[in-house]
Amino acid sequence: MAETKLALTNLSSLQFDKVLYKLQLTAPDGYDEDGKLELLRCSKVFNRALGDFDDKDILAVFNKQGTFADFETSDGSIKGIFAKSDNNRAMYPCSVCSSDVTHKKDSTGLGLECDGCGWFFHANCAEKPISLELYNALQDSPCYIKILCPPCN
């Protein structure tokens, strides 16, 4: 079975759940496909890349195992919104921008692990960006100081 591409308007409730999971979103019980689509449209990561496209022109791409992989547009102008590593998978996606969080001490790195959800996020993706000095202090902080990503905060 090859990868499957479906327009957002043709996704089942289960497929929507897989898409929302990748974006770290959870639909309340009772949400139908329209409600889940509205929740998806509220995502900053989704909106930044695909906010100007019609729902029928946005394709959800599922791999051969049926796991949601990424988005692309029917006109081919966008082929994926998530950062990829060498093996084409985001190793440590930021919980805010979905780009890889790396070990580098530059704008691509400065990653912190959220004590709430366990996902990583860039220090500069926080509402108030974290300086290198504060970042270093947080790395050496005692365990009773909790670090929360913007979605958990």
Side-chain angles (χ1 to χ4, degrees):
M1 183 173 142
E3 71 179 12
T4 305
K5 299 176 185 181
L6 297 170
L8 292 183
T9 53
N10 295 332
L11 294 182
S12 70
S13 187
L14 178 62
Q15 289 165 326
F16 259 117
D17 289 340
K18 291 178 181 183
V19 170
L20 294 175
Y21 177 79
K22 174 125 181 172
L23 289 163
Q24 298 182 345
L25 300 170
T26 304
D29 290 338
Y31 261 40
D32 61 4
E33 287 82 2
D34 290 334
K36 291 177 182 182
L37 179 58
E38 189 63 32
L39 180 61
L40 177 63
R41 284 242 167 240
C42 291
S43 163
K44 287 182 183 178
V45 172
F46 179 88
N47 242 342
R48 185 173 28 243
L50 300 166
D52 294 334
F53 290 89
D54 289 332
D55 297 336
K56 64 180 176 26
D57 297 325
I58 301 170
L59 306 175
V61 181
F62 296 86
N63 65 21
K64 60 184 174 184
Q65 290 83 22
T67 303
F68 172 70
D70 215 327
F71 296 104
E72 60 184 58
T73 55
S74 58
D75 66 3
S77 61
I78 294 179
K79 291 197 178 282
I81 66 170
F82 300 109
K84 309 286 190 294
S85 63
D86 291 341
N87 62 357
N88 208 28
R89 292 184 54 217
M91 300 228 0
Y92 299 103
C94 175
S95 64
V96 178
C97 73
S98 293
S99 295
D100 258 358
V101 175
T102 68
H103 65 283
K104 297 176 185 173
K105 289 200 173 188
D106 61 17
S107 62
T108 65
L110 291 184
L112 296 167
E113 183 176 5
C114 176
D115 290 318
C117 64
W119 284 62
F120 292 86
F121 67 101
H122 296 112
N124 60 351
C125 283
E127 189 172 311
K128 294 181 182 176
I130 299 168
S131 67
L132 181 58
E133 181 180 69
L134 179 55
Y135 173 82
N136 289 331
L138 288 171
Q139 293 301 303
D140 299 325
S141 66
C143 64
Y144 59 83
I145 294 177
K146 300 296 180 199
I147 299 169
L148 298 175
C149 67
C152 288
N153 196 7

